[in-house]
Amino acid sequence: MPTRHRVLRHLYRDSVTLMQLSSELASLGGVSQAFAFMGTPANLDFLRDSSVSTEGIQAKPNDLVIVVEASGDSAANAALDHAEGQLRQGAPATETEARPAVPRSIAMGVQELAGANLALISTPGEYAAAEGLKALGRGLHVMMFSDHVSLEDEIRLKRMAHERGLLMMGPDCGTAIINGTPLGFANVVRRGGIGIVSASGTGMQQVTSLIDQWGGGSRRPSAPAAAT
């Protein structure tokens, strides 16, 4: 079966969106495997370890890569076209077409939503620390979904948060429940007096769900490595 790929330059989507897209592509006719991911060295290594060819893929961490293994070129190209269409859905037809104003920075977001007190950061890892520092500097708690943040930057972020009495969850924090509000991959569960900190997001979800089923409640659980 031929393997075909497409690299979309300077296009970022979070891992949740890309996992959903990969699953959708794999269900298309003639497609046996499909992968959508950011072009980081770690992701390319994972693809090679999965015995999928990465030959010819020239991608940087800020590029989005789509790889499909299909029964033929026609099915592969159709899947790649479908993926690109989904990823670019909602973009204006022309550069001159009017588009709604959207916040493009932490400062703009705070200005638009004056009562906000938490920032959820999901950007390529090389930019995540800078955005985290901006958020903390404005007095926001931070949940950082991004990974590939250096240990030095993580220490700097957590020290700054500690000094300001703020939560700094992550990097690579995929799930949290803060004052009963689910964030990221999280379930709506009963509130109660049990606090949870976990190194595994899926493990935390299992525990909080079981507590809920058994009639108990959770108090501000979060994962990984986040204070409660």
Side-chain angles (χ1 to χ4, degrees):
M1 287 189 173
T3 299
R4 299 289 182 266
H5 72 270
R6 187 170 298 176
V7 178
L8 306 181
R9 303 293 180 191
H10 306 294
L11 180 65
Y12 176 78
R13 294 293 184 271
D14 62 53
S15 59
V16 178
T17 300
L18 297 180
M19 284 189 291
Q20 291 173 337
L21 179 61
S22 298
S23 178
E24 181 180 343
L25 294 178
S27 69
L28 297 177
V31 176
S32 58
Q33 291 190 93
F35 305 87
F37 55 91
M38 299 306 299
T40 63
N43 285 339
L44 291 169
D45 287 343
F46 173 80
L47 200 65
R48 281 188 287 268
D49 292 342
S50 301
S51 300
V52 178
S53 174
T54 59
E55 184 178 357
I57 297 179
Q58 299 292 327
K60 295 181 179 180
N62 292 337
D63 299 331
L64 198 154
V65 184
I66 310 158
V67 179
V68 296
E69 186 179 76
S71 56
D73 287 339
S74 178
N77 289 331
L80 291 172
D81 289 342
H82 177 81
E84 184 169 359
Q86 291 290 94
L87 290 165
R88 297 193 186 280
Q89 190 173 19
T94 67
E95 289 299 322
T96 57
E97 182 179 337
R99 66 178 75 186
V102 295
R104 297 186 178 277
S105 67
I106 297 289
M108 291 174 66
V110 170
Q111 185 175 8
E112 182 165 315
L113 194 61
N117 63 2
L118 184 145
L120 199 162
I121 295 174
S122 179
T123 68
E126 61 184 298
Y127 306 119
E131 296 306 313
L133 291 170
K134 293 174 188 175
L136 293 170
R138 290 183 171 271
L140 300 175
H141 302 289
V142 172
M143 176 178 174
M144 187 170 287
F145 189 82
S146 306
D147 56 6
H148 302 298
V149 175
S150 72
L151 180 59
E152 292 78 10
D153 282 337
E154 180 176 353
I155 292 171
R156 183 182 177 191
L157 287 163
K158 290 183 175 177
R159 281 179 174 166
M160 183 174 180
H162 179 73
E163 290 168 359
R164 294 169 181 249
L166 298 170
L167 287 173
M168 176 62 225
M169 298 171 283
D172 200 22
C173 180
T175 181
I177 305 174
I178 304 297
N179 289 338
T181 302
L183 301 171
F185 289 99
N187 303 309
V188 177
V189 295
R190 187 181 288 106
R191 298 178 70 168
I194 302 173
I196 300 171
V197 179
S198 171
S200 166
T202 52
M204 191 202 80
Q205 291 181 72
Q206 172 73 353
V207 171
T208 54
S209 296
L210 289 173
I211 290 171
D212 180 86
Q213 291 173 23
W214 294 335
S218 303
R219 177 180 61 84
R220 287 173 46 176
S222 55
T228 60

